[in-house]
Amino acid sequence: MLRMVYVTPDGGRHWVDSTWRETSTLHNAVANCAPGDLIRLMPGNYFLPEPVDIPISGLEDQPIIIRGEYGAILEGRRPPDPEVSAIDPGCAKYAAFRIIGKRHIRLDNIRIERAWPSAVYIRDSNDLIFKNLQIRGGTYAFYATGEHTSRIIIENCDWIQDDVIWRYLNWAMIHDGEITPGKEAPYRYLNGAFFGADDIAGDIVIRGNDVRHCYNAVRMDVSATNLQKPIGSFNRNVRIIDNRFSFVRDNPIEPEATAVGWWVAYNQFYNCHKLFSQDNLAGGYWYYFGNRGCFDSRPGPEGDENNGGAVFKFGKSSHAQPSMPFECFHNSFFLRQKYVKKGATRMWQNRRNAIGYANPATLPINLMPLDQTLFGPTDELDLGRDEDRGVRFSGDVCNHATYPAIFDAWSGVLSNPRPAAGPIFKAGICGDLELVPEYAEGFRNPLEVPMPDGTVWKSDPQSWPGALTGKKLFNGPDYVPVDLAFIRTKTNESNSNAGD
């Protein structure tokens, strides 16, 4: 049964909802909460010298809800913590909210400021919903860990980590070991993410968020001790849908170690360094579709050498690579950076994308190299030179001067190219990625895309290359969760073939 609990900064008697009411402090309200409680934060500034620890779980039909009125601001007043950088902050570290071993909790419409290292810390919890949170600062907006952590929805939230990252900090000042090998970077506490995770099961939805001026957006890792567990035990069923990622200095999307069933769709990327990082990543059934990316700025201060960027980042040939489908189709990218710089991958199906390059001669000086290449040196990029790695490019429209001739280095990889001369987008620098008329043509046959349950999805062949047909967004496949039995059968087949 719903119980309304009113909260004010001083916990006194206040005029609320047309009557005088007794209110509680936030810590007292949460400490005494019960399933079905709606804890309402009235407008005001709430100083949190200690984290708010959720003491009990809600129920499926009676979640515990903490909801802020407009103007409810939680202030951590914490400085950055240099001990935390790209790692689990740990239960002992500060967070505005700590949710440990709990279920059926929801946070709505709250502004959280200066909560370092985390605004929300989660361990071994599930059935959590976070909506309409505004978060400023923090190594992490949300950090999650524990193999029992699953079923988390983060929707319509807004995060700015630090607005100096994109333009004013050298990339190496944030990433340990870059300035001096083995040494910590001075701004290492910025090496976090909007959603960071280690060793979680999955079933994560990150939808409709606005993430900007940060180092990474979504980064989910698996520790070395868990890599021997069956494929799909961690980082499975992750949906990153309809978000806006802007001024991301490193990677908006970074699954690490292993990932299965990732859907990255309908997102907008604006001034991001390397969009999709897949360095040392095993697994598969990854779907990138309907995404749009554009730029009008480059990162870093003058002299920063880490400002080139790419759409895809791959690891070395000796690193883990996908053994199951990796699908990238009907995306639109207006670029100043390489499509891929270097590395190796497998099973990549890059189909019917619109890959448009700006003309550097028409841009402000130093915004884009005059000789920007489509790929890095061909001897540093392995798409299948000495063996068939299952990589295929088909039906992409691209206006780079070396396309399609550059694919001569990888026999059998390219088919049905659509080379273009001049701009392919109506106004790429303005973010209008609708194709110009001469390249606005559909296909004869549908795409066939394997799903993670053994079924096959087919596209509408009338869709143009890229994310847009006219002004209409590409209609991609509906979400299909991973069938673990099917996935593990495919994994065993792949391992058997590798041993032959």
Side-chain angles (χ1 to χ4, degrees):
M1 183 176 180
L2 175 67
R3 181 179 68 151
M4 190 86 74
V5 180
Y6 296 93
V7 173
T8 56
D10 64 4
R13 183 175 172 83
H14 291 269
W15 182 261
V16 180
D17 288 347
S18 301
T19 191
W20 287 99
R21 299 183 188 274
E22 298 296 332
T23 70
S24 174
T25 64
L26 175 57
H27 279 92
N28 286 341
V30 172
N32 296 289
C33 68
D37 278 3
L38 172 56
I39 300 172
R40 288 181 56 193
L41 279 61
M42 299 298 106
N45 290 63
Y46 296 76
F47 172 44
L48 301 182
E50 299 296 332
V52 175
D53 289 301
I54 310 296
I56 64 170
S57 294
L59 302 174
E60 184 175 1
D61 60 345
Q62 297 182 67
I64 295 170
I65 302 172
I66 303 174
R67 177 176 296 154
E69 298 275 328
Y70 178 77
I73 302 173
L74 306 189
E75 299 181 358
R77 301 182 189 173
R78 293 279 174 147
D81 185 344
E83 293 183 2
V84 178
S85 176
I87 59 170
D88 180 350
C91 296
K93 291 289 186 180
Y94 182 87
F97 291 94
R98 287 193 299 218
I99 305 174
I100 301 173
K102 303 300 184 294
R103 301 182 65 188
H104 301 296
I105 308 295
R106 175 168 175 161
L107 304 183
D108 286 353
N109 198 42
I110 303 169
R111 185 179 177 95
I112 303 172
E113 298 182 352
R114 290 186 291 170
W116 296 82
S118 310
V120 179
Y121 183 87
I122 302 160
R123 180 184 291 271
D124 287 319
S125 299
N126 48 56
D127 300 298
L128 310 177
I129 299 176
F130 306 97
K131 295 187 71 172
N132 301 310
L133 303 187
Q134 295 182 10
I135 301 172
R136 298 293 181 267
T139 303
Y140 298 100
F142 302 89
Y143 181 84
T145 188
E147 60 185 283
H148 300 296
T149 295
S150 64
R151 299 190 299 279
I152 297 174
I153 297 174
I154 301 174
E155 190 170 37
N156 296 333
C157 294
D158 177 303
W159 185 50
I160 297 175
Q161 186 180 31
D162 193 322
D163 58 13
V164 304
I165 293 176
W166 178 257
R167 174 60 69 193
Y168 300 105
L169 290 184
N170 188 300
W171 185 87
M173 297 174 72
I174 300 173
H175 198 282
D176 284 346
E178 297 296 330
I179 297 176
T180 304
K183 298 294 184 179
E184 295 179 348
Y187 292 89
R188 64 192 308 267
Y189 53 81
L190 294 174
N191 190 355
F194 172 67
F195 181 76
D198 285 280
D199 297 326
I200 70 171
D203 292 298
I204 307 299
V205 178
I206 298 173
R207 179 172 54 213
N209 302 286
D210 191 351
V211 179
R212 57 200 188 276
H213 294 288
C214 61
Y215 197 63
N216 297 293
V218 179
R219 185 176 64 202
M220 297 174 59
D221 203 354
V222 179
S223 62
T225 57
N226 281 321
L227 290 180
Q228 304 307 313
K229 292 188 177 181
I231 192 75
S233 299
F234 300 95
N235 284 356
R236 70 174 179 269
N237 293 334
V238 175
R239 284 173 279 175
I240 304 170
I241 309 293
D242 193 29
N243 302 282
R244 181 173 173 85
F245 301 109
S246 308
F247 301 100
V248 181
R249 189 65 179 88
D250 199 23
N251 308 121
I253 311 296
E254 189 174 10
E256 296 195 272
T258 180
V260 179
W262 277 54
W263 296 68
V264 181
Y266 309 128
N267 301 288
Q268 296 184 63
F269 299 89
Y270 170 57
N271 289 331
C272 296
H273 182 227
K274 290 183 178 176
L275 275 61
F276 311 125
S277 176
Q278 294 180 183
D279 185 353
N280 202 14
L281 181 67
Y285 289 101
W286 309 326
Y287 304 95
Y288 298 83
F289 62 88
N291 300 292
R292 290 166 285 168
C294 65
F295 78 95
D296 59 15
S297 175
R298 72 152 181 80
E302 296 305 318
D304 187 351
E305 296 181 357
N306 292 97
N307 62 18
V311 175
F312 283 97
K313 176 186 177 183
F314 298 137
K316 299 177 181 178
S317 295
S318 59
H319 288 181
Q321 294 168 29
S323 58
M324 293 173 286
F326 160 22
E327 299 281 345
C328 175
F329 54 96
H330 282 287
N331 301 284
S332 294
F333 302 113
F334 177 69
L335 300 176
R336 54 171 285 279
Q337 68 263 55
K338 297 176 177 67
Y339 199 63
V340 185
K341 183 177 180 180
K342 60 183 178 179
T345 191
R346 294 182 179 272
M347 309 298 290
W348 184 16
Q349 302 291 304
N350 194 87
R351 302 186 282 178
R352 303 185 184 181
N353 301 287
I355 305 169
Y357 276 83
N359 179 355
T362 67
L363 299 176
I365 189 169
N366 294 331
L367 189 55
M368 175 183 177
L370 294 175
D371 57 350
Q372 181 60 278
T373 58
L374 178 63
F375 298 139
T378 55
D379 60 348
E380 296 181 7
L381 177 61
D382 191 354
L383 301 180
R385 181 176 298 104
D386 300 321
E387 60 175 326
D388 186 351
R389 305 178 69 85
V391 176
R392 300 290 185 270
F393 276 61
S394 177
D396 299 317
V397 58
C398 177
N399 69 341
H400 196 277
T402 65
Y403 178 83
I406 194 170
F407 282 90
D408 292 346
W410 305 286
S411 177
V413 168
L414 180 68
S415 63
N416 304 312
R418 293 191 176 190
I424 67 170
F425 299 123
K426 288 192 172 179
I429 199 72
C430 301
D432 183 351
L433 302 188
E434 184 180 344
L435 289 177
V436 296
E438 52 263 48
Y439 306 114
E441 181 182 354
F443 296 84
R444 181 176 301 175
N445 298 310
L447 280 180
E448 295 188 359
V449 180
M451 295 286 104
D453 62 351
T455 61
V456 175
W457 176 83
K458 295 183 179 181
S459 71
D460 177 1
Q462 299 305 310
S463 296
W464 301 344
L468 297 169
T469 296
K471 299 186 182 302
K472 185 178 179 181
L473 195 59
F474 170 72
N475 186 21
D478 292 332
Y479 168 70
V480 177
V482 165
D483 181 326
L484 283 178
F486 173 76
I487 289 292
R488 286 167 184 169
T489 297
K490 299 295 287 186
T491 302
N492 291 336
E493 291 175 357
S494 176
N495 292 338
S496 177
N497 292 334
D500 291 342

